[in-house]
């Protein structure tokens, strides 16, 4: 009973929307659309990249809420839209 | 029989119906290799200067290479060359698929076509035999119908075809050659030259296999690539979405050509993205001869306005942007339909889209006279009109008659204000990469002999980060410092020269840049192994890059002979103006002084005369092609 009460008090983690472009889709089961990702209170862009085991060498651009960011310690929160671009060469 | 190549070049005179076979020595194959260098060799030797591109004196060359069609990935391409009716200079177009290998299986490495047939004909090349056959029953037909008839007539569904559509028959200067309906020799109006010769199609079928010196070595490279292609981010990305993956990437970066290159972002980009196309229209993925990467696909459309036949292939990035955002259009189904129409009727989607975008821009700027507009709603974004204008161009109806001149000639007719909006170089409409967002690509637009072309040196984004697999892959060339994408300084010009020599080799050797570094998976060491394994030649990266450099100098010599000078190596005014709109690159433009300095430096590095923009005698000697001096001195 105690444990159940404890669980009830704990707020479920919020979610952000993550989109992995082009070659990065393979790090999330080839999802090419945005998908929800639960995030804790002190999550960063870098944490997300690590969680999905994305090699830094395969990343070209990162956007948080439509804003280009170069800083890996940029905090991310529930409700954010994070977009990570891989490598393309056009043609 | 030699290793790798057939050892036979076919010569056909369509005026006299003479057919001869040339058997060049090994030195010829090793010095020129194939592709672009073969084209330039025959255009310089067998065509008189200043021939009419649409006259019988133009020479049309189809070339595979010393290694084309060998049993490995990425060796499927062939080149087509002639004096271009679009630019008046060296004309060159490459395509993948299966036709190039089939030409070799049929017994020939290349063919040189002269003269003009009195009546429509097609060529039937099969196991060393060649026939000139009547094509009057298929003249006027769209490409797909013509192919159906040829398959029935020949009675073999395994034939491989190159053929032209009505646009080429009507001599629209940017007409394509369709290769098995879904691979296009799109640029420079090579289809138009076929049309001018009354040559509807060339059909190949062969059973000869290409002999390799060391099949174990060739097989080991092919197997390594087949095993690792999904681990390499570049080849995997090509497989997953193909070139259309670049739409959203470039849009976010602020360099997606929109509204005739006015802006660098497009509100409707998501609608015309590779992701959207894959989710809604994908029928199946496919690939070219012997290739494990499988970067191509078929798509189909059925909506209440029209259907699209999947056999005409999926639009690539160039087409999605050329008929899409650059015309302000975000209707994916209409863009896919436009792709089908261009491939059916035989038009280059880059030049067609560029011509429509130019007119829409002129219209919005109030530069079009009423007798051009004629009541049409020419504002950016009109998808229905785009489709109508493609058909009107192919058949020379209404405003299509103007569009069929291409951007440069329309702008000349409209006057200086319109010329500022003409996004073309040497008369060829610019591919869908903003020169302001990719310095080396932009620089290449200016100097490449065929006119604006994007497949010259690789994109700047491949070389901007020290850990980028593209950058890492070119270290064997001595390219050791990453460079900013917008940098057009001396180090970038050095990189451009080295990379265009490697790429130049690719264009001589039937090599697909979607299979080899820096854009894909096969390394330079493996490239050398493949050439060794196929031909048996003890070669090196140095020798192969010299082949590429030789081909650039030969194409340049052709243009010099036709009267091209430094002033033809230029960029459209638009790229010297600030990018409009709200994208990440808003306000950016190329600095004219930086560009001019880069140009001078390029001629210096190439050892060319800086005023004439022409190879020196010393450079021709160094490249073992001093016979060309007599053509240009």
């Amino acid at each position: 009973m105690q444990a159940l009460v404890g669980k009830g008090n704990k707020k479920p983690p919020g979610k952000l929307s993550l989109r992995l472009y082009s070659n990065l889709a393979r790090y999330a089961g080839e999802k090419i659309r945005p998908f929800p990702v639960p995030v804790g209170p002190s999550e960063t862009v870098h944490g997300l990249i690590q969680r999905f085991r994305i090699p830094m060498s395969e990343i070209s651009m990162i956007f948080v809420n439509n804003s280009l960011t170069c800083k890996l310690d940029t905090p991310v929160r529930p409700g954010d839209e994070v977009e990570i671009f891989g490598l393309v060469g056009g043609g | 029989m030699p290793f790798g190549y057939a050892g036979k070049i076919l010569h056909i005179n369509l005026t006299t119906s003479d057919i001869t076979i040339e058997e060049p020595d090994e030195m010829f194959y090793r010095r020129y290799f194939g592709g672009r260098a073969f084209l330039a060799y025959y255009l310089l030797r067998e065509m008189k200067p200043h021939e009419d591109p649409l006259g019988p004196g133009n020479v049309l060359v189809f070339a595979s290479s010393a290694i084309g069609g060998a049993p490995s990935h990425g060796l499927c391409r062939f080149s087509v060359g002639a004096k271009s009716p679009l630019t008046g200079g060296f004309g060159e177009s490459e395509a993948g698929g299966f036709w190039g290998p089939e030409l070799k299986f049929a017994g020939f490495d290349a063919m040189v076509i002269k003269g003009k047939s009195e009546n429509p004909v097609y060529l039937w090349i099969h196991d060393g035999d060649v026939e000139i056959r009547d094509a009057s029953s298929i003249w006027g037909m769209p490409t797909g119908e013509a192919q159906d008839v040829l398959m029935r007539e020949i009675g073999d569904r395994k034939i491989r075809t190159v053929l032209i559509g009505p646009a080429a028959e009507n001599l629209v200067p940017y007409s394509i050659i369709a290769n098995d309906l879904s691979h296009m020799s799109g640029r420079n109006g090579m289809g138009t030259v076929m049309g001018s010769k009354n040559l509807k199609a060339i059909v190949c079928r062969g059973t000869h296999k290409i002999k390799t010196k060391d099949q174990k070595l060739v097989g080991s490279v092919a197997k390594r690539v087949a095993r690792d292609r999904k681990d390499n981010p570049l080849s995997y990305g090509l497989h997953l979405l193909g070139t259309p993956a670049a739409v959203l990437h470039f849009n976010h970066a602020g360099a997606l050509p929109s509204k005739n290159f006015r802006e660098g972002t497009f509100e409707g980009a998501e609608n015309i993205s590779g992701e959207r196309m894959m989710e809604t229209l994908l029928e199946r993925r496919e690939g070219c001869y012997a290739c494990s990467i499988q970067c191509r696909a078929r798509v189909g459309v059925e909506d209440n306005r029209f259907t699209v036949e999947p056999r005409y292939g999926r639009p690539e990035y160039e087409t999605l942007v050329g008929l899409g955002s650059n015309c302000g259009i975000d209707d994916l189904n209409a863009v896919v339909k436009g792709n089908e129409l261009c491939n059916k009727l035989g038009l280059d989607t880059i030049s067609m889209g560029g011509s429509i975008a130019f007119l829409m821009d002129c219209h919005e700027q109030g530069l079009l006279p009423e007798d051009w507009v004629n009541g049409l709603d020419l504002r950016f974004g009109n998808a229905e009109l785009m489709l109508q204008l493609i058909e009107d161009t192919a058949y020379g109806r209404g405003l299509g008659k103007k569009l069929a001149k291409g951007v440069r000639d329309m702008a000349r007719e409209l006057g200086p204000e319109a010329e500022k909006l003409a996004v073309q170089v040497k008369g060829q409409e610019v591919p869908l990469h903003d020169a302001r967002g990719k310095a080396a690509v932009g620089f290449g637009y200016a100097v490449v002999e065929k006119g604006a072309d994007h497949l010259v040196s690789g994109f700047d984004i491949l070389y901007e980060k020290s850990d980028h697999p593209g950058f890492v892959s070119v270290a064997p060339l001595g390219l050791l410092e990453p460079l900013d994408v917008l940098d057009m300084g001396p180090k970038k010009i050095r990189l451009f020269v080295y990379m265009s020599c490697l790429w130049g080799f690719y264009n001589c050797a039937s090599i697909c840049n979607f299979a080899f570094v820096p854009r894909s998976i096969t390394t330079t060491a493996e490239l050398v192994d493949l050439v060794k394994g196929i031909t048996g030649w003890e070669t090196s990266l140095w020798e192969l890059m010299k082949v590429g450099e030789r081909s650039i100098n030969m194409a340049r010599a052709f243009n010099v002979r036709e009267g091209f000078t430094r002033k033809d190596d230029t960029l459209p005014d638009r790229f010297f103006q600030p990018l409009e709109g709200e994208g990440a690159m808003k306000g950016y433009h190329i600095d004219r002084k930086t560009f001019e300095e880069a140009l001078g430096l390029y001629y210096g590095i190439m050892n060319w005369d800086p005023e004439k923009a022409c190879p020196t005698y010393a450079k021709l000697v160094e490249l073992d092609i001093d016979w060309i001096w007599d053509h240009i001195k």
Side-chain angles (χ1 to χ4, degrees):
Chain A
M1 199 63 183
Q2 281 290 318
L4 278 177
V5 170
K7 228 177 189 174
N9 287 342
K10 200 172 170 187
K11 210 175 150 191
K15 289 176 179 175
L16 58 69
S17 157
L18 178 64
R19 188 170 186 186
L20 302 177
Y21 286 88
S22 58
N23 53 297
L24 302 186
R26 65 177 156 163
Y27 296 107
E30 295 204 348
K31 286 192 194 83
I32 56 170
R33 286 276 136 204
F35 57 94
V37 176
V39 278
S42 56
E43 188 63 287
T44 62
V45 167
H46 192 236
L48 273 181
I49 291 169
Q50 283 187 319
R51 200 191 308 178
F52 286 91
R53 298 169 192 269
I54 304 171
M56 290 305 294
S57 63
E58 294 192 18
I59 295 173
S60 62
M61 298 187 293
I62 301 164
F63 287 77
V64 177
N65 298 327
N66 284 320
S67 175
L68 183 66
T69 179
C70 302
K71 291 182 185 159
L72 291 176
D73 59 359
T74 303
V76 289
R77 300 178 185 86
D80 282 349
E81 287 181 18
V82 180
E83 297 172 280
I84 307 179
F85 285 80
L87 309 175
V88 296
Chain B
M1 192 180 155
F3 296 108
Y5 52 95
K8 290 183 180 167
I9 311 277
L10 187 58
H11 291 257
I12 298 171
N13 186 320
L14 291 173
T15 306
T16 61
S17 300
D18 282 344
I19 298 171
T20 55
I21 293 168
E22 178 194 2
E23 296 187 41
D25 61 15
E26 183 179 9
M27 187 94 84
F28 173 82
Y29 284 94
R30 191 153 175 176
R31 185 183 288 130
Y32 302 110
F33 221 92
R36 181 197 288 156
F38 276 16
L39 310 182
Y41 177 88
Y42 289 109
L43 296 195
L44 281 164
R45 284 187 177 246
E46 311 237 347
M47 191 193 306
K48 290 186 199 135
H50 312 298
E51 282 286 356
D52 173 4
L54 302 179
N58 200 354
V59 175
L60 178 66
V61 186
F62 288 78
S64 178
S65 73
I67 60 172
S72 180
H73 65 292
L75 301 179
C76 66
R77 291 174 79 80
F78 67 96
S79 302
V80 194
K83 181 172 173 178
S84 167
L86 192 60
T87 69
F90 183 72
E92 176 190 19
S93 199
E94 297 95 26
F98 297 84
W99 189 88
E102 199 73 27
L103 174 67
K104 290 191 67 171
F105 303 157
F108 301 99
D109 303 305
M111 77 175 84
V112 182
I113 300 165
K114 292 190 198 168
K116 176 183 178 175
S117 171
E118 202 171 319
N119 301 305
V121 291
Y122 75 92
L123 304 176
W124 168 222
I125 301 169
H126 50 108
D127 279 338
D129 288 330
V130 185
E131 293 171 50
I132 302 175
R133 287 186 165 189
D134 177 40
S136 44
S137 68
I138 53 171
W139 195 254
M141 278 186 184
T143 53
E145 289 171 37
Q147 175 165 289
D148 292 342
V149 172
L150 288 172
M151 281 182 171
R152 280 199 300 274
E153 189 172 308
I154 291 169
D156 185 349
R157 294 198 66 79
K158 289 184 176 170
I159 57 169
R160 298 294 179 181
T161 62
V162 291
L163 34 79
I164 57 168
E169 297 170 16
N170 296 330
L171 304 180
V172 179
Y174 46 87
S175 298
I176 58 167
I177 300 172
N179 155 11
D180 293 339
L181 304 186
S182 64
H183 304 266
M184 303 299 151
S185 299
R187 307 249 62 201
N188 272 182
M190 294 300 98
T192 319
V193 178
M194 271 181 79
S196 74
K197 294 186 177 304
N198 275 328
L199 177 59
K200 179 72 177 177
I202 306 173
V203 184
C204 288
R205 182 82 172 96
T207 54
H208 299 303
K209 287 294 164 219
I210 290 166
K211 231 167 81 179
T212 55
K213 173 74 176 175
D214 182 349
Q215 185 50 39
K216 209 171 150 194
L217 184 59
V218 175
S220 70
V221 175
K223 271 185 211 145
R224 201 286 294 176
V225 167
R227 188 189 68 215
D228 295 344
R229 68 194 160 83
K230 286 200 169 173
D231 295 327
N232 179 294
L234 291 165
S235 53
Y236 167 75
L238 279 165
H239 174 73
L240 183 67
L241 288 171
T243 59
V247 173
L248 291 177
H249 190 109
F250 293 159
N251 192 51
H252 273 67
L256 184 76
S258 304
K259 300 181 179 168
N260 196 32
F261 291 85
R262 220 168 242 290
E263 301 176 8
T265 52
F266 181 56
E267 251 187 5
E270 188 76 50
N271 294 340
I272 56 163
S273 64
E275 286 83 346
R276 178 66 57 84
M277 185 161 54
M278 186 168 118
E279 282 174 340
T280 58
L281 304 177
L282 180 73
E283 295 249 329
R284 64 180 160 89
R285 289 194 179 86
E286 59 187 12
C288 298
Y289 166 75
C291 189
S292 54
I293 295 173
Q294 305 276 302
C295 73
R296 298 179 55 83
R298 291 182 179 215
V299 292
V301 172
E302 279 183 44
D303 75 13
N304 54 17
R305 297 170 296 174
F306 44 71
T307 57
V308 171
E309 289 182 68
R311 65 177 176 162
Y312 289 100
R314 170 193 67 188
E316 296 294 329
Y317 165 85
E318 298 295 325
T319 306
L320 288 170
V321 180
L323 300 177
S325 58
N326 209 35
C327 290
I329 291 169
D330 69 354
D331 178 341
L332 178 63
N333 286 4
V335 172
V336 174
K337 180 67 185 174
N339 178 66
E340 182 216 49
L341 281 176
C342 284
N343 293 351
K344 256 184 184 174
L345 302 176
L347 290 159
D348 174 26
T349 56
I350 298 177
S351 286
M352 184 75 255
S355 298
I356 294 172
F358 166 75
L359 277 193
M360 287 177 162
D361 201 4
C362 286
H363 176 65
E364 296 211 348
Q365 300 302 309
L367 297 173
L368 288 191
E370 194 39 51
D371 63 330
W372 285 47
V373 181
N374 234 345
L376 297 174
D377 178 5
L378 271 161
R379 284 175 296 182
F380 282 119
N382 190 342
E384 263 175 51
L385 181 68
M386 177 266 290
L387 296 176
Q388 182 195 321
L389 291 177
I390 291 171
E391 294 200 50
D392 288 350
T393 301
Y395 291 108
R397 298 185 300 230
L399 190 55
K401 281 189 209 143
K402 300 287 188 193
L403 284 161
K405 294 168 189 272
V407 166
R408 178 172 64 182
D409 287 1
M410 282 194 288
R412 279 182 184 156
E413 207 173 321
L414 290 165
E417 285 306 306
E419 286 192 290
K420 287 184 194 162
L421 312 183
V423 189
Q424 56 83 23
V425 181
K426 297 183 178 74
Q428 176 153 267
E429 291 72 19
V430 168
L432 285 305
H433 301 277
D434 197 311
R436 290 164 289 195
K438 305 176 180 95
V441 175
F443 184 76
Y445 287 164
V447 296
V448 169
E449 288 68 28
K450 67 193 273 188
D453 183 43
H454 58 297
L455 297 170
V456 180
S457 67
F459 289 0
D460 300 70
I461 44 178
L462 295 168
Y463 316 118
E464 70 171 330
K465 289 196 323 170
S466 61
D467 61 353
H468 191 298
F471 174 77
V472 173
S473 75
V474 297
L477 278 65
L479 296 167
L480 306 174
E481 280 178 76
L483 299 170
D484 190 89
V485 289
L486 304 182
D487 178 1
M488 206 185 266
K491 286 179 190 293
K492 185 62 77 65
I493 301 307
R494 172 177 177 268
L495 176 143
F496 175 82
V497 170
Y498 282 21
M499 288 313 304
S500 55
C501 289
L502 180 64
W503 224 282
F505 176 69
Y506 291 173
N507 287 344
C508 291
S510 314
I511 287 177
C512 177
N513 77 79
F514 290 164
F516 285 71
V517 298
R519 178 66 184 90
S520 190
I521 179 172
T522 318
T523 66
T524 51
E526 289 171 325
L527 168 69
V528 176
D529 278 349
L530 279 174
V531 177
K532 282 182 185 175
I534 295 166
T535 62
W537 296 335
E538 182 52 45
T539 191
S540 64
L541 185 57
W542 195 88
E543 185 189 15
L544 304 184
M545 285 185 60
K546 281 289 167 190
V547 172
E549 186 180 1
R550 190 173 293 126
S551 74
I552 296 167
N553 279 267
M554 293 171 80
R556 174 64 53 156
F558 181 87
N559 274 4
V560 170
R561 197 176 72 168
E562 293 297 319
F564 283 64
T565 64
R566 177 172 177 146
K567 72 173 171 41
D568 295 295
D569 290 343
T570 186
L571 285 175
D573 182 69
R574 178 131 281 172
F575 295 141
F576 297 111
Q577 305 303 328
L579 256 164
E580 298 174 23
E582 294 305 319
M585 293 199 56
K586 180 185 176 181
Y588 186 79
H589 64 91
I590 293 173
D591 176 57
R592 282 186 197 272
K593 190 165 165 277
T594 305
F595 171 71
E596 285 299 327
E597 284 171 2
L599 200 54
L601 190 58
Y602 175 67
Y603 299 145
I605 296 174
M606 294 299 283
N607 196 357
W608 290 354
D609 179 306
E611 296 310 314
K612 294 184 198 158
C614 164
T616 58
Y617 176 69
K619 175 45 74 176
L620 297 179
V621 170
E622 193 261 327
L623 292 170
D624 205 12
I625 46 173
D626 48 306
W627 60 269
I628 289 176
W629 185 243
D630 284 339
H631 292 267
I632 58 171
K633 67 183 176 191

